[in-house]
C-alpha cells in the first residue's frame, strides 16, 4: 500500500482548531503527485507531456479529528480505473495513530493542456496506474475518451 506521513501544519487548521476540509484535499493531491513522481512522472514530465490530472469530484468522509502538528499517515489506492486509464477513482485514507480518521475519494481524469480536453494517458503512465493497490470495492470505470 502506498503511504506517506505528513504533518497537520498551521495553515491546515480552521477556526475550530482542527484540520480544515480543504486541507484534506490538498494533502490528498500532495500524496497523489508524490506517487506519480516516484513512478516516473515528476511535475517536469507532466509539463513536457502537456498533460495533467484533473479532479472532477471529491468526496470527504470524517471519522476523527486532526489537530496542529499531528502526524497524518496517508495511503493512496485505486477504487476504480477505466481500462484505457482515462478515468480513475483515487482513494486516500488518513490515519491517526493507526485509526482511520478520514477518507477522500477523488474522481480524476487526464487533461490535455494543448487541446483543453480529457484524454488517455501515455502507456507508461497507464502502467503506473495499474500498479496501484486496489481497494476492496474497486470497480472498472467507463472511459472518458471519445
Amino acid at each position: 500500500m502506498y503511504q506517506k506521513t505528513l504533518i497537520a501544519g498551521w495553515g491546515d487548521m480552521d477556526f475550530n482548531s482542527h484540520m480544515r476540509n480543504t486541507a484534506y484535499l490538498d494533502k490528498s493531491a500532495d500524496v497523489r503527485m508524490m506517487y506519480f513522481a516516484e513512478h516516473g512522472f515528476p511535475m517536469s514530465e507532466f509539463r513536457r507531456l502537456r498533460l495533467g490530472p484533473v479532479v472532477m469530484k471529491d468526496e470527504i468522509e470524517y471519522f476523527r479529528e486532526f489537530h496542529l502538528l499531528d502526524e497524518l499517515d496517508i495511503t493512496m489506492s485505486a477504487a476504480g480505473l477505466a481500462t484505457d486509464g482515462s478515468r480513475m477513482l483515487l482513494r486516500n485514507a488518513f490515519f491517526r495513530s493507526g485509526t482511520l480518521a478520514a477518507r477522500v475519494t477523488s474522481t480524476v481524469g487526464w487533461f490535455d493542456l494543448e487541446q483543453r480536453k480529457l484524454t488517455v494517458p501515455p502507456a507508461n503512465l497507464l502502467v503506473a496506474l495499474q500498479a496501484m493497490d486496489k481497494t476492496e470495492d474497486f470497480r472498472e470505470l467507463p472511459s472518458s475518451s471519445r
Side-chain angles (χ1 to χ4, degrees), residues 16-122:
N16 296 320
S17 300
H18 61 231
M19 202 160 93
R20 62 183 165 78
N21 64 327
T22 55
Y24 288 91
L25 302 178
D26 292 340
K27 303 285 187 194
S28 293
D30 288 343
V31 171
R32 184 179 312 137
M33 296 315 292
M34 289 175 194
Y35 176 86
F36 292 132
E38 290 176 23
H39 288 81
F41 286 87
M43 283 308 304
S44 59
E45 182 63 6
F46 282 120
R47 278 193 303 273
R48 186 187 74 74
L49 292 170
R50 302 285 296 142
L51 178 74
V54 60
V55 174
M56 296 173 273
K57 177 179 154 183
D58 286 309
E59 178 183 46
I60 308 174
E61 300 170 90
Y62 304 101
F63 308 106
R64 303 272 187 275
E65 294 181 304
F66 283 108
H67 299 285
L68 184 62
L69 301 181
D70 281 350
E71 282 192 355
L72 317 168
D73 292 318
I74 307 168
T75 64
M76 186 177 80
S77 51
L81 183 65
T83 56
D84 63 3
S86 63
R87 180 183 307 229
M88 66 210 106
L89 291 174
L90 299 179
R91 181 160 304 143
N92 296 95
F94 290 71
F95 294 89
R96 187 184 73 203
S97 303
T99 301
L100 181 63
R103 186 171 34 233
V104 174
T105 303
S106 302
T107 303
V108 182
W110 295 105
F111 195 63
D112 181 313
L113 297 170
E114 295 292 327
Q115 297 182 25
R116 309 304 293 175
K117 66 178 190 173
L118 292 173
T119 189
V120 297

Side-chain angles (χ1 to χ4, degrees), residues 35-36 39 41 123-132:
Y35 176 86
F36 292 132
H39 288 81
F41 286 87
N124 49 347
L125 181 51
L126 178 57
V127 168
L129 294 170
Q130 292 169 333
M132 210 177 288

